[in-house]
Amino acid sequence: MEGNKMLKLAYTFFLGILLALFVGVGINTFYPGPTAPEFPAELNSYGKELTTEQAAVQRNFDKRMEQFNKDMQPYNRNVSMLALGAAVVFLAVSLAFEKRIKLIADGGMFGGLFTLLYSVGRGFASQDSKYMFIVISACLVIVLYLGYRRFVRHGATAKTA
């Protein structure tokens, strides 16, 4: 019997990880980010001083890299919003199936929580503190509600039954 509980726990955890990966890979597949500039091969001087031509190539690369970093900030914010939306959907479905298919509901909850973490991470990469405050606030509200719904309210109804 103990092995069956461990297997269910492993399944639930694995399902959660797969749901978060599904979101991350799906976003990357259908909403690809900016392409990073390729490091120029002529700059592989291995400790030697750069020539005048190489210094010009380095400055050009640095400008393109700076633009890439600027382009990544709004992209990361958008990815964070998409992941946050997916997390909310996973968590809502988890709550909807809480009493019918507990194993799938628990996996969906793990998936929603892992996807929330992914959203927060991408939000940090956006380097927008106001946006991050909003995302963290939304995550806090969601997690507090889930904790109340799953453990406090559910525990109160179990005690009265």
Side-chain angles (χ1 to χ4, degrees):
M1 187 66 177
E2 186 65 31
N4 195 25
K5 281 186 178 181
M6 288 299 294
L7 188 59
K8 284 182 178 181
L9 179 64
Y11 174 82
T12 301
F13 190 74
F14 188 66
L15 177 59
I17 290 172
L18 280 177
L19 286 171
L21 286 171
F22 175 79
V23 170
V25 172
I27 291 171
N28 187 52
T29 300
F30 297 105
Y31 181 54
T35 305
E38 195 170 315
F39 188 77
E42 60 265 27
L43 294 180
N44 291 329
S45 59
Y46 304 106
K48 298 176 186 175
E49 284 193 36
L50 297 178
T51 64
T52 307
E53 294 83 21
Q54 287 175 321
V57 169
Q58 179 69 53
R59 283 190 299 277
N60 185 342
F61 174 75
D62 290 344
K63 286 180 185 176
R64 289 185 294 137
M65 196 64 193
E66 186 178 322
Q67 184 60 47
F68 167 75
N69 289 331
K70 285 181 184 176
D71 293 344
M72 280 301 292
Q73 290 175 356
Y75 174 76
N76 283 322
R77 186 188 64 238
N78 294 343
V79 168
S80 176
M81 282 189 260
L82 290 168
L84 181 61
V88 168
V89 168
F90 288 154
L91 294 169
V93 168
S94 167
L95 291 175
F97 286 95
E98 180 178 23
K99 292 183 177 150
R100 286 180 250 162
I101 310 172
K102 184 151 177 54
L103 187 66
I104 302 295
D106 289 347
M109 181 166 286
F110 268 126
L113 293 174
F114 292 145
T115 306
L116 275 177
L117 286 175
Y118 176 66
S119 173
V120 168
R122 290 307 285 252
F124 276 123
S126 74
Q127 298 179 354
D128 182 347
S129 62
K130 289 178 184 171
Y131 174 74
M132 276 314 304
F133 179 76
I134 292 168
V135 168
I136 297 293
S137 298
C139 290
L140 180 62
V141 167
I142 290 168
V143 170
L144 286 172
Y145 174 74
L146 285 173
Y148 173 76
R149 168 99 187 246
R150 289 290 289 244
F151 304 114
V152 176
R153 193 176 101 187
H154 186 69
T157 56
K159 288 180 185 176
T160 59

